[in-house]
Amino acid sequence: DLSLTNQTTIYPNPTQGIINIKQDLLQTHFYEVIVTDLHGKIIFKGQNTQQINLSQHPNGLYLINIITPQEKYIHKINLVK
């Protein structure tokens, strides 16, 4: 199965601020990354992003949404500084 869920690695978790996105299938395909807090507020939005810095945001849980034309993958990340 070549779905985003099986091919995506988001690390480290928990993080102190820097989040890395490793996605074998996404290297040659368009994808959008949207990071929200648990209230749904968008704190980051980018395209074909492989690294995100959340160090300016408060500690807590965040949702990383990876969206391709075919599917959407959501991953929880814990920010602990």
Side-chain angles (χ1 to χ4, degrees):
D1 187 358
L2 296 178
S3 71
L4 283 177
T5 304
N6 294 336
Q7 298 295 319
T8 304
T9 305
I10 298 175
Y11 62 96
N13 191 10
T15 182
Q16 294 182 348
I18 300 293
I19 300 166
N20 298 291
I21 300 170
K22 182 175 185 288
Q23 217 305 329
D24 296 331
L25 293 178
L26 297 180
Q27 299 306 318
T28 58
H29 295 90
F30 169 82
Y31 63 99
E32 185 173 27
V33 177
I34 300 173
V35 180
T36 65
D37 62 17
L38 292 182
H39 301 289
K41 179 182 175 188
I42 296 174
I43 61 169
F44 176 86
K45 189 172 186 178
Q47 296 176 348
N48 292 35
T49 303
Q50 295 179 347
Q51 191 173 77
I52 302 167
N53 186 348
L54 296 182
S55 63
Q56 300 298 319
H57 297 281
N59 288 350
L61 289 175
Y62 293 87
L63 300 177
I64 300 176
N65 300 270
I66 298 176
I67 304 161
T68 71
Q70 293 78 29
E71 62 184 314
K72 179 177 180 180
Y73 171 71
I74 301 173
H75 185 83
K76 289 182 192 173
I77 198 97
N78 190 11
L79 176 63
V80 181
K81 296 182 274 186

